Amino acid sequence: MEYFFYDDYSEGAHPKILEALSCSNLEQERGYGEDTISTQAIKLIKQKIGNPNVAIHFVSSGMQANVITLISMLRHHESVITPETAHINLDEAGAIEAGGHKINAVQTPNGKLTSADIEDVLARNSGEHKVKPRVVAVAQATEWGTIYSKEELQALSNCCKKNNLYFYIDGARLGSALTAKNADITLLELSQLADAFYIGGTKNGALLGEAIVVSNPELQKDFRYHIKQRGALLAKGRVLGIQFAELFKDDLFFDLARHANVMAERLKEAISIKGFSFLSDSTTNQIFPILPNTHIEKLKKDYGFHPYGFNPWPKAEITEDTSAIRLVTSWATTEEAVNTFIADFNNLT
Ligand SMILES: Cc1ncc(COP(=O)(O)O)c(C=O)c1O
């Protein structure tokens, strides 16, 4: 049977989450996120962050979190600076642009932005003939599985402060980034460096849902109006609260993400041992090996994964006979599946 390494949302939800949803099923609760469990979940997340001053709102998808938060930060003539490979730039059907805002997309190695990139965009966009950059948006982990170190995020945050820009972090895979072997940043530090970020649940064991964390008091004001106006204030907001309460009441959120990383690391090791290289230096749950096309064709018979025709950084290793693929592991990836993949991979000729 084919095993999927397509993405980290191929399965439903972690059993503890389903159980929590089922246990509270017949309890009557207030609507629109004002239920007791969502309130409890917010309290738990604030405790985990260690910052009582943040505001937390649940929405049902990563794209909602991005669009609602970014558009809440922007006036009509203002734009977002982000890496060219960012999800908001490539994979959100032009939602930011449809909201009336330009994206200043920057070509970056490994999907990561630097303060020099920001300064460069600012230098080329001054005065009212241009859009006015107002937000810097990066993803942690990035779309290429790489992560920013604390020092790098601090530098971006400083640059934003210096230039009166908001700093936003797309945390669709934040769990994976926080538990990566080279991670050195905490939720508390993120809440101090970014004006807003979100904690992704959909790709880390929740049935669906993301928790937007707004640190900047200026942005906290009226945030629920922005959610409502984009159709994202769920009458059954409890569904999101219950899941986040379960993820954060112990360390389930971190345990699940760590598992996904370990599974990816095993695949990465096995592929590296055979002498193959990777499109990016990922330490999280998405890896991008560059393999002979003949290997890829054989693997396709038993495994689901996406080919990566898009090669943003010219890589000498990619020739006519080789291609990059994306392998994604998740909270639900079994050791057995990884072991079988590795055994099959080792047998490829
Ligand atoms: C970095 C990043 N941000 C946002 C999203 C959007 O998440 P969703 O599909 O839940 O809207 C994705 C989805 O793959 C993503 O990879």
Side-chain angles (χ1 to χ4, degrees), residues 16-303:
K16 282 191 181 171
I17 288 178
L18 282 187
E19 198 185 319
L21 285 163
S22 166
C23 284
S24 62
N25 194 35
L26 292 178
E27 282 165 23
Q28 291 190 308
E29 286 284 354
R30 300 269 307 275
Y32 295 103
E34 293 184 308
D35 58 284
T36 58
I37 318 175
S38 296
T39 308
Q40 175 64 8
I42 289 171
K43 201 169 148 198
L44 287 168
I45 298 174
K46 284 187 184 181
Q47 278 168 2
K48 216 50 116 187
I49 296 176
N51 183 348
N53 300 321
V54 296
I56 294 178
H57 302 272
F58 300 115
V59 292
S60 57
S61 75
M63 184 170 156
Q64 276 181 356
N66 285 340
V67 174
I68 292 165
T69 315
L70 287 170
I71 291 183
S72 82
M73 294 171 160
L74 295 163
R75 293 174 67 201
H76 294 303
H77 55 290
E78 294 174 340
S79 65
V80 186
I81 303 175
T82 201
E84 197 233 329
T85 48
H87 200 269
I88 58 165
N89 186 46
L90 292 184
D91 292 304
E92 299 194 356
I96 300 296
E97 293 91 332
H101 304 285
K102 185 178 172 71
I103 293 184
N104 301 111
V106 180
Q107 284 213 331
T108 59
N110 259 359
K112 287 165 62 171
L113 201 70
T114 63
S115 8
D117 295 326
I118 300 173
E119 298 285 1
D120 183 52
V121 173
L122 292 174
R124 286 184 289 108
N125 288 279
S126 77
E128 62 281 356
H129 296 283
K130 312 283 181 190
V131 287
K132 186 177 182 186
R134 182 70 172 107
V135 186
V136 168
V138 299
Q140 176 80 328
T142 70
E143 291 72 4
W144 291 92
T146 50
I147 63 169
Y148 290 87
S149 67
K150 181 159 60 180
E151 196 183 346
E152 288 168 333
L153 289 175
Q154 179 76 63
L156 290 174
S157 177
N158 292 349
C159 178
C160 287
K161 287 205 173 75
K162 184 181 123 202
N163 292 295
N164 192 31
L165 302 169
Y166 290 122
F167 186 31
Y168 172 72
I169 299 176
D170 173 340
R173 297 191 176 83
L174 188 60
S176 191
L178 291 171
T179 55
K181 62 178 187 191
N182 56 337
D184 66 351
I185 189 144
T186 63
L187 279 169
L188 175 62
E189 288 159 344
L190 281 178
S191 78
Q192 291 160 342
L193 296 179
D195 294 285
F197 66 98
Y198 75 90
I199 303 174
T202 304
K203 297 175 174 66
N204 193 29
L207 201 51
L208 77 172
E210 325 291 305
I212 304 174
V213 180
V214 188
S215 316
N216 186 326
E218 210 180 285
L219 299 169
Q220 290 176 358
K221 197 165 159 277
D222 291 345
F223 200 81
R224 270 169 69 85
Y225 286 87
H226 292 284
I227 299 178
K228 181 71 186 181
Q229 232 183 28
R230 306 227 158 241
L233 198 64
L234 300 188
K236 289 192 183 167
R238 61 188 280 165
V239 171
L240 302 172
I242 293 165
Q243 299 179 76
F244 274 91
E246 199 55 36
L247 284 170
F248 281 90
K249 81 172 190 229
D250 299 309
D251 277 332
L252 186 63
F253 178 79
F254 300 96
D255 294 342
L256 296 182
R258 201 171 288 112
H259 171 82
N261 287 348
V262 170
M263 294 298 103
E265 180 68 18
R266 286 203 194 149
L267 293 175
K268 196 175 169 191
E269 254 175 46
I271 295 169
S272 308
I273 287 171
K274 288 283 177 185
F276 297 110
S277 63
F278 294 79
L279 206 51
S280 73
D281 191 15
S282 166
T283 51
T284 58
N285 69 322
Q286 305 192 81
I287 58 169
F288 302 84
I290 300 166
L291 302 175
N293 295 333
T294 47
H295 278 27
I296 295 174
E297 285 312 309
K298 286 177 192 158
L299 287 170
K300 265 191 201 164
K301 292 189 185 121
D302 293 312
Y303 301 97

